PDB file of all heavy atoms in Angstrom:
ATOM      1  N   LYS A 465       0.879 -10.725  -9.243  1.00 95.00           N
ATOM      2  CA  LYS A 465       0.615 -11.314  -7.934  1.00 95.00           C
ATOM      3  C   LYS A 465       1.823 -12.003  -7.343  1.00 95.00           C
ATOM      4  O   LYS A 465       2.047 -11.939  -6.146  1.00 95.00           O
ATOM      5  CB  LYS A 465      -0.582 -12.260  -8.032  1.00 95.00           C
ATOM      6  CG  LYS A 465      -1.896 -11.571  -8.277  1.00 95.00           C
ATOM      7  CD  LYS A 465      -3.094 -12.561  -8.242  1.00 95.00           C
ATOM      8  CE  LYS A 465      -4.404 -11.838  -8.475  1.00 95.00           C
ATOM      9  NZ  LYS A 465      -5.557 -12.760  -8.498  1.00 95.00           N
ATOM     10  N   ALA A 466       2.627 -12.564  -8.210  1.00 97.00           N
ATOM     11  CA  ALA A 466       3.862 -13.169  -7.742  1.00 97.00           C
ATOM     12  C   ALA A 466       4.830 -12.134  -7.264  1.00 97.00           C
ATOM     13  O   ALA A 466       5.633 -12.306  -6.305  1.00 97.00           O
ATOM     14  CB  ALA A 466       4.503 -14.046  -8.840  1.00 97.00           C
ATOM     15  N   ILE A 467       4.826 -10.971  -7.980  1.00 97.00           N
ATOM     16  CA  ILE A 467       5.694  -9.883  -7.565  1.00 97.00           C
ATOM     17  C   ILE A 467       5.231  -9.326  -6.186  1.00 97.00           C
ATOM     18  O   ILE A 467       6.046  -9.065  -5.313  1.00 97.00           O
ATOM     19  CB  ILE A 467       5.646  -8.727  -8.604  1.00 97.00           C
ATOM     20  CG1 ILE A 467       6.302  -9.232  -9.903  1.00 97.00           C
ATOM     21  CG2 ILE A 467       6.348  -7.490  -8.085  1.00 97.00           C
ATOM     22  CD1 ILE A 467       6.181  -8.248 -11.054  1.00 97.00           C
ATOM     23  N   ASP A 468       3.917  -9.237  -5.995  1.00 96.00           N
ATOM     24  CA  ASP A 468       3.350  -8.823  -4.740  1.00 96.00           C
ATOM     25  C   ASP A 468       3.831  -9.723  -3.632  1.00 96.00           C
ATOM     26  O   ASP A 468       4.272  -9.288  -2.524  1.00 96.00           O
ATOM     27  CB  ASP A 468       1.823  -8.832  -4.765  1.00 96.00           C
ATOM     28  CG  ASP A 468       1.218  -7.836  -5.762  1.00 96.00           C
ATOM     29  OD1 ASP A 468       1.963  -6.990  -6.272  1.00 96.00           O
ATOM     30  OD2 ASP A 468      -0.022  -7.999  -6.080  1.00 96.00           O
ATOM     31  N   ALA A 469       3.763 -11.021  -3.878  1.00 97.00           N
ATOM     32  CA  ALA A 469       4.156 -12.054  -2.856  1.00 97.00           C
ATOM     33  C   ALA A 469       5.656 -11.949  -2.543  1.00 97.00           C
ATOM     34  O   ALA A 469       6.085 -12.089  -1.385  1.00 97.00           O
ATOM     35  CB  ALA A 469       3.815 -13.402  -3.374  1.00 97.00           C
ATOM     36  N   LYS A 470       6.433 -11.681  -3.552  1.00 97.00           N
ATOM     37  CA  LYS A 470       7.899 -11.577  -3.366  1.00 97.00           C
ATOM     38  C   LYS A 470       8.199 -10.341  -2.522  1.00 97.00           C
ATOM     39  O   LYS A 470       9.111 -10.396  -1.646  1.00 97.00           O
ATOM     40  CB  LYS A 470       8.626 -11.462  -4.727  1.00 97.00           C
ATOM     41  CG  LYS A 470      10.143 -11.611  -4.648  1.00 97.00           C
ATOM     42  CD  LYS A 470      10.539 -12.948  -4.181  1.00 97.00           C
ATOM     43  CE  LYS A 470      10.102 -14.100  -5.100  1.00 97.00           C
ATOM     44  NZ  LYS A 470      10.585 -15.414  -4.593  1.00 97.00           N
ATOM     45  N   ALA A 471       7.531  -9.264  -2.761  1.00 97.00           N
ATOM     46  CA  ALA A 471       7.734  -8.018  -1.944  1.00 97.00           C
ATOM     47  C   ALA A 471       7.405  -8.322  -0.468  1.00 97.00           C
ATOM     48  O   ALA A 471       8.093  -7.851   0.453  1.00 97.00           O
ATOM     49  CB  ALA A 471       6.849  -6.865  -2.471  1.00 97.00           C
ATOM     50  N   ILE A 472       6.307  -9.080  -0.248  1.00 97.00           N
ATOM     51  CA  ILE A 472       5.965  -9.417   1.144  1.00 97.00           C
ATOM     52  C   ILE A 472       7.020 -10.314   1.768  1.00 97.00           C
ATOM     53  O   ILE A 472       7.422 -10.168   2.900  1.00 97.00           O
ATOM     54  CB  ILE A 472       4.594 -10.117   1.133  1.00 97.00           C
ATOM     55  CG1 ILE A 472       3.504  -9.080   0.745  1.00 97.00           C
ATOM     56  CG2 ILE A 472       4.278 -10.707   2.540  1.00 97.00           C
ATOM     57  CD1 ILE A 472       2.121  -9.701   0.552  1.00 97.00           C
ATOM     58  N   GLU A 473       7.507 -11.297   1.007  1.00 97.00           N
ATOM     59  CA  GLU A 473       8.513 -12.243   1.439  1.00 97.00           C
ATOM     60  C   GLU A 473       9.761 -11.544   1.928  1.00 97.00           C
ATOM     61  O   GLU A 473      10.328 -11.841   2.979  1.00 97.00           O
ATOM     62  CB  GLU A 473       8.891 -13.222   0.324  1.00 97.00           C
ATOM     63  CG  GLU A 473       9.972 -14.241   0.676  1.00 97.00           C
ATOM     64  CD  GLU A 473      10.376 -15.025  -0.539  1.00 97.00           C
ATOM     65  OE1 GLU A 473       9.629 -15.187  -1.503  1.00 97.00           O
ATOM     66  OE2 GLU A 473      11.511 -15.588  -0.520  1.00 97.00           O
ATOM     67  N   TYR A 474      10.211 -10.552   1.135  1.00 97.00           N
ATOM     68  CA  TYR A 474      11.427  -9.804   1.499  1.00 97.00           C
ATOM     69  C   TYR A 474      11.180  -8.635   2.471  1.00 97.00           C
ATOM     70  O   TYR A 474      12.106  -8.059   2.987  1.00 97.00           O
ATOM     71  CB  TYR A 474      12.132  -9.283   0.277  1.00 97.00           C
ATOM     72  CG  TYR A 474      12.954 -10.324  -0.436  1.00 97.00           C
ATOM     73  CD1 TYR A 474      12.460 -11.191  -1.369  1.00 97.00           C
ATOM     74  CD2 TYR A 474      14.340 -10.505  -0.022  1.00 97.00           C
ATOM     75  CE1 TYR A 474      13.229 -12.165  -1.990  1.00 97.00           C
ATOM     76  CE2 TYR A 474      15.118 -11.429  -0.653  1.00 97.00           C
ATOM     77  CZ  TYR A 474      14.593 -12.266  -1.621  1.00 97.00           C
ATOM     78  OH  TYR A 474      15.307 -13.239  -2.261  1.00 97.00           O
ATOM     79  N   GLY A 475       9.915  -8.350   2.681  1.00 97.00           N
ATOM     80  CA  GLY A 475       9.566  -7.305   3.633  1.00 97.00           C
ATOM     81  C   GLY A 475       9.975  -5.882   3.200  1.00 97.00           C
ATOM     82  O   GLY A 475      10.404  -5.083   4.002  1.00 97.00           O
ATOM     83  N   ILE A 476       9.886  -5.655   1.908  1.00 97.00           N
ATOM     84  CA  ILE A 476      10.297  -4.352   1.397  1.00 97.00           C
ATOM     85  C   ILE A 476       9.074  -3.399   1.323  1.00 97.00           C
ATOM     86  O   ILE A 476       7.934  -3.816   1.295  1.00 97.00           O
ATOM     87  CB  ILE A 476      10.962  -4.424  -0.052  1.00 97.00           C
ATOM     88  CG1 ILE A 476       9.863  -4.901  -1.069  1.00 97.00           C
ATOM     89  CG2 ILE A 476      12.159  -5.363  -0.010  1.00 97.00           C
ATOM     90  CD1 ILE A 476      10.349  -4.774  -2.502  1.00 97.00           C
ATOM     91  N   SER A 477       9.381  -2.095   1.242  1.00 97.00           N
ATOM     92  CA  SER A 477       8.298  -1.090   1.073  1.00 97.00           C
ATOM     93  C   SER A 477       7.937  -1.195  -0.414  1.00 97.00           C
ATOM     94  O   SER A 477       8.782  -1.092  -1.283  1.00 97.00           O
ATOM     95  CB  SER A 477       8.821   0.310   1.398  1.00 97.00           C
ATOM     96  OG  SER A 477       9.199   0.343   2.764  1.00 97.00           O
ATOM     97  N   TYR A 478       6.636  -1.338  -0.643  1.00 97.00           N
ATOM     98  CA  TYR A 478       6.191  -1.708  -2.026  1.00 97.00           C
ATOM     99  C   TYR A 478       4.801  -1.139  -2.282  1.00 97.00           C
ATOM    100  O   TYR A 478       3.989  -1.038  -1.421  1.00 97.00           O
ATOM    101  CB  TYR A 478       6.158  -3.231  -2.128  1.00 97.00           C
ATOM    102  CG  TYR A 478       5.542  -3.794  -3.349  1.00 97.00           C
ATOM    103  CD1 TYR A 478       6.202  -3.750  -4.581  1.00 97.00           C
ATOM    104  CD2 TYR A 478       4.255  -4.396  -3.319  1.00 97.00           C
ATOM    105  CE1 TYR A 478       5.598  -4.297  -5.707  1.00 97.00           C
ATOM    106  CE2 TYR A 478       3.687  -4.965  -4.468  1.00 97.00           C
ATOM    107  CZ  TYR A 478       4.378  -4.890  -5.646  1.00 97.00           C
ATOM    108  OH  TYR A 478       3.793  -5.455  -6.788  1.00 97.00           O
ATOM    109  N   ASN A 479       4.625  -0.752  -3.560  1.00 95.00           N
ATOM    110  CA  ASN A 479       3.302  -0.310  -3.993  1.00 95.00           C
ATOM    111  C   ASN A 479       3.172  -0.639  -5.456  1.00 95.00           C
ATOM    112  O   ASN A 479       4.144  -0.764  -6.188  1.00 95.00           O
ATOM    113  CB  ASN A 479       3.158   1.220  -3.776  1.00 95.00           C
ATOM    114  CG  ASN A 479       1.703   1.654  -3.857  1.00 95.00           C
ATOM    115  OD1 ASN A 479       0.783   0.876  -3.899  1.00 95.00           O
ATOM    116  ND2 ASN A 479       1.526   2.985  -3.855  1.00 95.00           N
ATOM    117  N   ARG A 480       1.925  -0.781  -5.862  1.00 92.00           N
ATOM    118  CA  ARG A 480       1.621  -1.055  -7.298  1.00 92.00           C
ATOM    119  C   ARG A 480       0.455  -0.225  -7.704  1.00 92.00           C
ATOM    120  O   ARG A 480      -0.519  -0.058  -6.940  1.00 92.00           O
ATOM    121  CB  ARG A 480       1.306  -2.528  -7.410  1.00 92.00           C
ATOM    122  CG  ARG A 480       1.079  -2.994  -8.866  1.00 92.00           C
ATOM    123  CD  ARG A 480       1.375  -4.458  -9.044  1.00 92.00           C
ATOM    124  NE  ARG A 480       0.568  -5.374  -8.327  1.00 92.00           N
ATOM    125  CZ  ARG A 480      -0.562  -5.869  -8.752  1.00 92.00           C
ATOM    126  NH1 ARG A 480      -1.072  -5.478  -9.918  1.00 92.00           N
ATOM    127  NH2 ARG A 480      -1.262  -6.749  -8.023  1.00 92.00           N
ATOM    128  N   PHE A 481       0.547   0.391  -8.894  1.00 83.00           N
ATOM    129  CA  PHE A 481      -0.615   1.148  -9.358  1.00 83.00           C
ATOM    130  C   PHE A 481      -0.806   0.901 -10.848  1.00 83.00           C
ATOM    131  O   PHE A 481       0.060   0.435 -11.579  1.00 83.00           O
ATOM    132  CB  PHE A 481      -0.442   2.647  -9.074  1.00 83.00           C
ATOM    133  CG  PHE A 481       0.549   3.354  -9.939  1.00 83.00           C
ATOM    134  CD1 PHE A 481       0.155   3.969 -11.085  1.00 83.00           C
ATOM    135  CD2 PHE A 481       1.915   3.358  -9.618  1.00 83.00           C
ATOM    136  CE1 PHE A 481       1.052   4.642 -11.901  1.00 83.00           C
ATOM    137  CE2 PHE A 481       2.863   4.015 -10.401  1.00 83.00           C
ATOM    138  CZ  PHE A 481       2.424   4.634 -11.561  1.00 83.00           C
ATOM    139  N   MET A 482      -1.995   1.331 -11.278  1.00 73.00           N
ATOM    140  CA  MET A 482      -2.370   1.036 -12.717  1.00 73.00           C
ATOM    141  C   MET A 482      -2.943   2.242 -13.438  1.00 73.00           C
ATOM    142  O   MET A 482      -2.728   2.403 -14.614  1.00 73.00           O
ATOM    143  CB  MET A 482      -3.394  -0.083 -12.724  1.00 73.00           C
ATOM    144  CG  MET A 482      -3.862  -0.462 -14.095  1.00 73.00           C
ATOM    145  SD  MET A 482      -4.952  -1.963 -14.050  1.00 73.00           S
ATOM    146  CE  MET A 482      -5.217  -2.228 -15.770  1.00 73.00           C
ATOM    147  N   HIS A 483      -3.610   3.130 -12.708  1.00 60.00           N
ATOM    148  CA  HIS A 483      -4.467   4.119 -13.380  1.00 60.00           C
ATOM    149  C   HIS A 483      -3.786   5.471 -13.487  1.00 60.00           C
ATOM    150  O   HIS A 483      -2.951   5.869 -12.665  1.00 60.00           O
ATOM    151  CB  HIS A 483      -5.785   4.257 -12.655  1.00 60.00           C
ATOM    152  CG  HIS A 483      -6.462   2.940 -12.497  1.00 60.00           C
ATOM    153  ND1 HIS A 483      -7.058   2.266 -13.540  1.00 60.00           N
ATOM    154  CD2 HIS A 483      -6.657   2.114 -11.403  1.00 60.00           C
ATOM    155  CE1 HIS A 483      -7.597   1.125 -13.130  1.00 60.00           C
ATOM    156  NE2 HIS A 483      -7.336   0.991 -11.867  1.00 60.00           N
ATOM    157  N   VAL A 484      -4.199   6.242 -14.455  1.00 59.00           N
ATOM    158  CA  VAL A 484      -3.858   7.611 -14.615  1.00 59.00           C
ATOM    159  C   VAL A 484      -4.955   8.492 -14.153  1.00 59.00           C
ATOM    160  O   VAL A 484      -6.143   8.284 -14.524  1.00 59.00           O
ATOM    161  CB  VAL A 484      -3.478   7.945 -16.152  1.00 59.00           C
ATOM    162  CG1 VAL A 484      -3.444   9.430 -16.325  1.00 59.00           C
ATOM    163  CG2 VAL A 484      -2.190   7.292 -16.511  1.00 59.00           C
ATOM    164  N   GLY A 485      -4.663   9.517 -13.333  1.00 52.00           N
ATOM    165  CA  GLY A 485      -5.681  10.451 -12.897  1.00 52.00           C
ATOM    166  C   GLY A 485      -6.708   9.703 -12.082  1.00 52.00           C
ATOM    167  O   GLY A 485      -6.423   8.793 -11.280  1.00 52.00           O
ATOM    168  N   ASN A 486      -7.996  10.044 -12.231  1.00 49.00           N
ATOM    169  CA  ASN A 486      -9.098   9.452 -11.455  1.00 49.00           C
ATOM    170  C   ASN A 486      -9.887   8.401 -12.268  1.00 49.00           C
ATOM    171  O   ASN A 486     -10.904   7.967 -11.844  1.00 49.00           O
ATOM    172  CB  ASN A 486     -10.048  10.561 -11.026  1.00 49.00           C
ATOM    173  CG  ASN A 486      -9.399  11.501 -10.060  1.00 49.00           C
ATOM    174  OD1 ASN A 486      -8.567  11.073  -9.259  1.00 49.00           O
ATOM    175  ND2 ASN A 486      -9.717  12.789 -10.125  1.00 49.00           N
ATOM    176  N   GLN A 487      -9.390   8.043 -13.422  1.00 49.00           N
ATOM    177  CA  GLN A 487     -10.094   7.098 -14.276  1.00 49.00           C
ATOM    178  C   GLN A 487      -9.812   5.664 -13.825  1.00 49.00           C
ATOM    179  O   GLN A 487      -8.650   5.192 -13.854  1.00 49.00           O
ATOM    180  CB  GLN A 487      -9.719   7.286 -15.726  1.00 49.00           C
ATOM    181  CG  GLN A 487      -9.963   8.673 -16.277  1.00 49.00           C
ATOM    182  CD  GLN A 487     -11.495   8.986 -16.277  1.00 49.00           C
ATOM    183  OE1 GLN A 487     -12.296   8.110 -16.396  1.00 49.00           O
ATOM    184  NE2 GLN A 487     -11.812  10.238 -16.143  1.00 49.00           N
ATOM    185  N   LYS A 488     -10.770   4.950 -13.388  1.00 51.00           N
ATOM    186  CA  LYS A 488     -10.584   3.601 -12.879  1.00 51.00           C
ATOM    187  C   LYS A 488     -11.591   2.653 -13.569  1.00 51.00           C
ATOM    188  O   LYS A 488     -12.795   2.684 -13.237  1.00 51.00           O
ATOM    189  CB  LYS A 488     -10.718   3.520 -11.387  1.00 51.00           C
ATOM    190  CG  LYS A 488      -9.689   4.248 -10.633  1.00 51.00           C
ATOM    191  CD  LYS A 488      -9.743   4.083  -9.117  1.00 51.00           C
ATOM    192  CE  LYS A 488      -8.632   4.795  -8.411  1.00 51.00           C
ATOM    193  NZ  LYS A 488      -8.678   4.588  -6.977  1.00 51.00           N
ATOM    194  N   GLU A 489     -11.117   1.856 -14.519  1.00 51.00           N
ATOM    195  CA  GLU A 489     -11.968   0.876 -15.172  1.00 51.00           C
ATOM    196  C   GLU A 489     -11.213  -0.463 -15.121  1.00 51.00           C
ATOM    197  O   GLU A 489     -10.027  -0.531 -15.428  1.00 51.00           O
ATOM    198  CB  GLU A 489     -12.263   1.216 -16.612  1.00 51.00           C
ATOM    199  CG  GLU A 489     -13.090   2.542 -16.715  1.00 51.00           C
ATOM    200  CD  GLU A 489     -13.399   2.851 -18.198  1.00 51.00           C
ATOM    201  OE1 GLU A 489     -13.539   1.929 -18.967  1.00 51.00           O
ATOM    202  OE2 GLU A 489     -13.467   4.076 -18.501  1.00 51.00           O
ATOM    203  N   GLU A 490     -11.888  -1.495 -14.588  1.00 50.00           N
ATOM    204  CA  GLU A 490     -11.205  -2.765 -14.343  1.00 50.00           C
ATOM    205  C   GLU A 490     -10.550  -3.296 -15.605  1.00 50.00           C
ATOM    206  O   GLU A 490     -11.143  -3.390 -16.707  1.00 50.00           O
ATOM    207  CB  GLU A 490     -12.251  -3.762 -13.864  1.00 50.00           C
ATOM    208  CG  GLU A 490     -11.657  -5.035 -13.285  1.00 50.00           C
ATOM    209  CD  GLU A 490     -10.799  -4.734 -12.056  1.00 50.00           C
ATOM    210  OE1 GLU A 490     -11.144  -3.845 -11.302  1.00 50.00           O
ATOM    211  OE2 GLU A 490      -9.816  -5.481 -11.848  1.00 50.00           O
ATOM    212  N   GLY A 491      -9.278  -3.660 -15.534  1.00 59.00           N
ATOM    213  CA  GLY A 491      -8.567  -4.316 -16.638  1.00 59.00           C
ATOM    214  C   GLY A 491      -7.995  -3.366 -17.685  1.00 59.00           C
ATOM    215  O   GLY A 491      -7.433  -3.810 -18.667  1.00 59.00           O
ATOM    216  N   ILE A 492      -8.186  -2.062 -17.496  1.00 70.00           N
ATOM    217  CA  ILE A 492      -7.674  -1.108 -18.468  1.00 70.00           C
ATOM    218  C   ILE A 492      -6.553  -0.259 -17.892  1.00 70.00           C
ATOM    219  O   ILE A 492      -6.675   0.238 -16.758  1.00 70.00           O
ATOM    220  CB  ILE A 492      -8.803  -0.183 -18.959  1.00 70.00           C
ATOM    221  CG1 ILE A 492      -9.916  -0.992 -19.640  1.00 70.00           C
ATOM    222  CG2 ILE A 492      -8.291   0.906 -19.908  1.00 70.00           C
ATOM    223  CD1 ILE A 492     -11.122  -0.147 -20.108  1.00 70.00           C
ATOM    224  N   LYS A 493      -5.483  -0.157 -18.635  1.00 83.00           N
ATOM    225  CA  LYS A 493      -4.389   0.724 -18.241  1.00 83.00           C
ATOM    226  C   LYS A 493      -4.484   1.949 -19.075  1.00 83.00           C
ATOM    227  O   LYS A 493      -4.482   1.931 -20.321  1.00 83.00           O
ATOM    228  CB  LYS A 493      -3.040   0.059 -18.432  1.00 83.00           C
ATOM    229  CG  LYS A 493      -1.836   0.965 -18.383  1.00 83.00           C
ATOM    230  CD  LYS A 493      -1.652   1.618 -17.058  1.00 83.00           C
ATOM    231  CE  LYS A 493      -0.426   2.553 -17.097  1.00 83.00           C
ATOM    232  NZ  LYS A 493      -0.302   3.329 -15.842  1.00 83.00           N
ATOM    233  N   TRP A 494      -4.517   3.112 -18.411  1.00 88.00           N
ATOM    234  CA  TRP A 494      -4.605   4.394 -19.134  1.00 88.00           C
ATOM    235  C   TRP A 494      -3.248   5.071 -19.174  1.00 88.00           C
ATOM    236  O   TRP A 494      -2.498   5.075 -18.193  1.00 88.00           O
ATOM    237  CB  TRP A 494      -5.607   5.310 -18.455  1.00 88.00           C
ATOM    238  CG  TRP A 494      -7.028   4.848 -18.509  1.00 88.00           C
ATOM    239  CD1 TRP A 494      -7.745   4.275 -17.509  1.00 88.00           C
ATOM    240  CD2 TRP A 494      -7.932   4.907 -19.633  1.00 88.00           C
ATOM    241  NE1 TRP A 494      -8.988   3.940 -17.922  1.00 88.00           N
ATOM    242  CE2 TRP A 494      -9.143   4.333 -19.221  1.00 88.00           C
ATOM    243  CE3 TRP A 494      -7.797   5.375 -20.922  1.00 88.00           C
ATOM    244  CZ2 TRP A 494     -10.221   4.202 -20.102  1.00 88.00           C
ATOM    245  CZ3 TRP A 494      -8.889   5.266 -21.791  1.00 88.00           C
ATOM    246  CH2 TRP A 494     -10.067   4.701 -21.372  1.00 88.00           C
ATOM    247  N   LEU A 495      -2.925   5.632 -20.350  1.00 91.00           N
ATOM    248  CA  LEU A 495      -1.734   6.440 -20.516  1.00 91.00           C
ATOM    249  C   LEU A 495      -2.144   7.847 -20.725  1.00 91.00           C
ATOM    250  O   LEU A 495      -3.314   8.175 -20.980  1.00 91.00           O
ATOM    251  CB  LEU A 495      -0.931   5.928 -21.702  1.00 91.00           C
ATOM    252  CG  LEU A 495      -0.528   4.431 -21.688  1.00 91.00           C
ATOM    253  CD1 LEU A 495       0.131   4.063 -22.955  1.00 91.00           C
ATOM    254  CD2 LEU A 495       0.360   4.157 -20.544  1.00 91.00           C
TER     255      LEU A 495
END
């Protein structure tokens, strides 16, 4: 969240992702 805020502060193009494919379960990172 601090990284998100820093990206907004500097006004850079930014994205964050977590999931592999279509599997979305809260709190789990899939490899």
Side-chain angles (χ1 to χ4, degrees):
K465 290 185 178 180
I467 294 172
D468 297 346
K470 192 64 64 178
I472 293 171
E473 177 187 339
Y474 277 89
I476 66 168
S477 299
Y478 171 74
N479 195 10
R480 183 153 64 89
F481 75 93
M482 181 172 182
H483 306 287
V484 167
N486 295 324
Q487 302 296 330
K488 295 187 179 181
E489 295 181 33
E490 192 64 32
I492 296 177
K493 165 65 181 174
W494 294 103
L495 305 174

